[in-house]
Amino acid sequence: MKTKVAPSILSADFGKLNEDIATIDDHSDYIHVDVMDGHFVPNLTFGAPVAKYIKSKNPLDVHLMIENPGNYIEDFAKAGADVLTVHYEAAHDLDGTLAKIREHGMKAGVSIKPATPVEVLEPYLKDLDWVLVMSVEPGFGGQSFMPNALEKISWLREKAPDLDIAVDGGINDKTGKQCVDAGANILIAGSYIFKAEDRVEAIESLKR
Ligand code: DX5
Ligand code: ZN
C-alpha cells in the first residue's frame, strides 16, 4: 500500500491556520484535525464551528478526543469532515456511532489509546474504514513515540489487509518507517512537519 501523510494541524499556528495549511497542502494526502474537549483529554482545541473554515484540497481527517462523540456527528459532517474518528474509550454505543458516521457520508474510524489492547476492535473491524492507533497519550503534540503501537499495527494488518491503518503521535522519519514496516499506511505527524525548517522535505521523508 502506498504510504499517505496526514499533517496534524495541532502543531500549526492557529492564528494563520489556512496559510500554514497552504504550505503543506500540495504534498499531503489528508489534513488531520484534532478536536479535544478538556474531559476525555486534558487539553482543549476547537469544534465544528472552527473546523468548517479549514481550507484544503485534501480530505479532512477529524480525530475526536471528546466524550459522547455520537452527539457531534452531524455537526462535523456539515463542517466538511471526510473521515470521522471516535475513541473506543469514549463512545458508549460504538456500533451505533459508526453506523451514524457512515449514514452521514463519512468514513468511520476508531482510535485506541496506548493502554487499550487492540483486540477490543476485533468485533468492529467489518464496520470500520479506518483505525487510528495512538502512539502517545492523546492530548498534546511533541511527545515521544511509544513502540507498543507497532504490535497493534501488525495485528490489525494481519486481520484486515485492506483497512486504512493510521498512527498518530511521535511520528518522524524513523518511527514512521517502523510503523510502515509494521503495516500502517497513513502517518499522522504534527511537530515533525510543522516545526521543520523544510516542511515539504519532512513530508517527503515520511513517504520514503
Ligand atoms: C495528540 C494528537 C496528535 C498530535 C501529534 O493527541 O492526536 O495528532 O498532533 O503530534 P506529534 O506528531 O507532534 O506527536
Ligand atoms: Zn490526532
Side-chain angles (χ1 to χ4, degrees), residues 144-167:
S144 300
F145 180 79
M146 296 167 73
N148 80 333
L150 297 171
E151 296 139 41
K152 296 182 183 183
I153 293 167
S154 314
W155 184 91
L156 285 164
R157 181 53 76 219
E158 203 179 305
K159 295 271 172 195
D162 301 322
L163 181 70
D164 275 326
I165 302 177
V167 58

Side-chain angles (χ1 to χ4, degrees), residues 90-159:
H92 298 301
D93 164 21
L94 192 53
D95 277 324
T97 303
L98 297 175
K100 196 167 160 193
I101 292 172
R102 284 178 163 177
E103 277 161 26
H104 283 80
M106 298 176 286
K107 285 191 182 176
V110 170
S111 181
I112 49 171
K113 299 209 279 186
T116 303
V118 67
E119 292 81 9
V120 300
L121 297 180
E122 183 143 33
Y124 304 99
L125 287 177
K126 60 181 189 323
D127 299 314
L128 281 173
D129 301 302
W130 177 289
V131 170
L132 195 175
V133 175
M134 284 305 301
S135 41
V136 296
E137 283 302 334
F140 300 93
Q143 305 179 77
S144 300
F145 180 79
M146 296 167 73
N148 80 333
L150 297 171
E151 296 139 41
K152 296 182 183 183
I153 293 167
S154 314
W155 184 91
L156 285 164
R157 181 53 76 219
E158 203 179 305
K159 295 271 172 195

Side-chain angles (χ1 to χ4, degrees), residues 62 64 69-70 73 84-88 91 94 97-98 101 109-112:
V62 177
L64 295 182
I73 292 170
L84 195 62
T85 299
V86 301
H87 263 270
Y88 172 82
L94 192 53
T97 303
L98 297 175
I101 292 172
V110 170
S111 181
I112 49 171

Side-chain angles (χ1 to χ4, degrees), residues 37 66-72 90-92:
D37 67 355
I66 64 174
E67 302 285 354
N68 301 314
N71 295 351
Y72 301 92
H92 298 301

Side-chain angles (χ1 to χ4, degrees), residues 49-95:
V50 172
K52 121 175 154 193
Y53 290 104
I54 292 173
K55 283 204 191 80
S56 171
K57 62 173 187 158
N58 293 300
L60 293 190
D61 137 40
V62 177
H63 179 192
L64 295 182
M65 286 162 275
I66 64 174
E67 302 285 354
N68 301 314
N71 295 351
Y72 301 92
I73 292 170
E74 194 176 343
D75 291 352
F76 280 99
K78 285 189 183 150
D82 296 279
V83 183
L84 195 62
T85 299
V86 301
H87 263 270
Y88 172 82
E89 304 86 358
H92 298 301
D93 164 21
L94 192 53
D95 277 324

Side-chain angles (χ1 to χ4, degrees), residues 8 10 32-36 61 63 65 132 134 168-169 188:
S8 172
L10 188 64
H32 184 79
V33 178
D34 285 312
V35 175
M36 305 185 188
D61 137 40
H63 179 192
M65 286 162 275
L132 195 175
M134 284 305 301
D168 185 9
I188 297 164

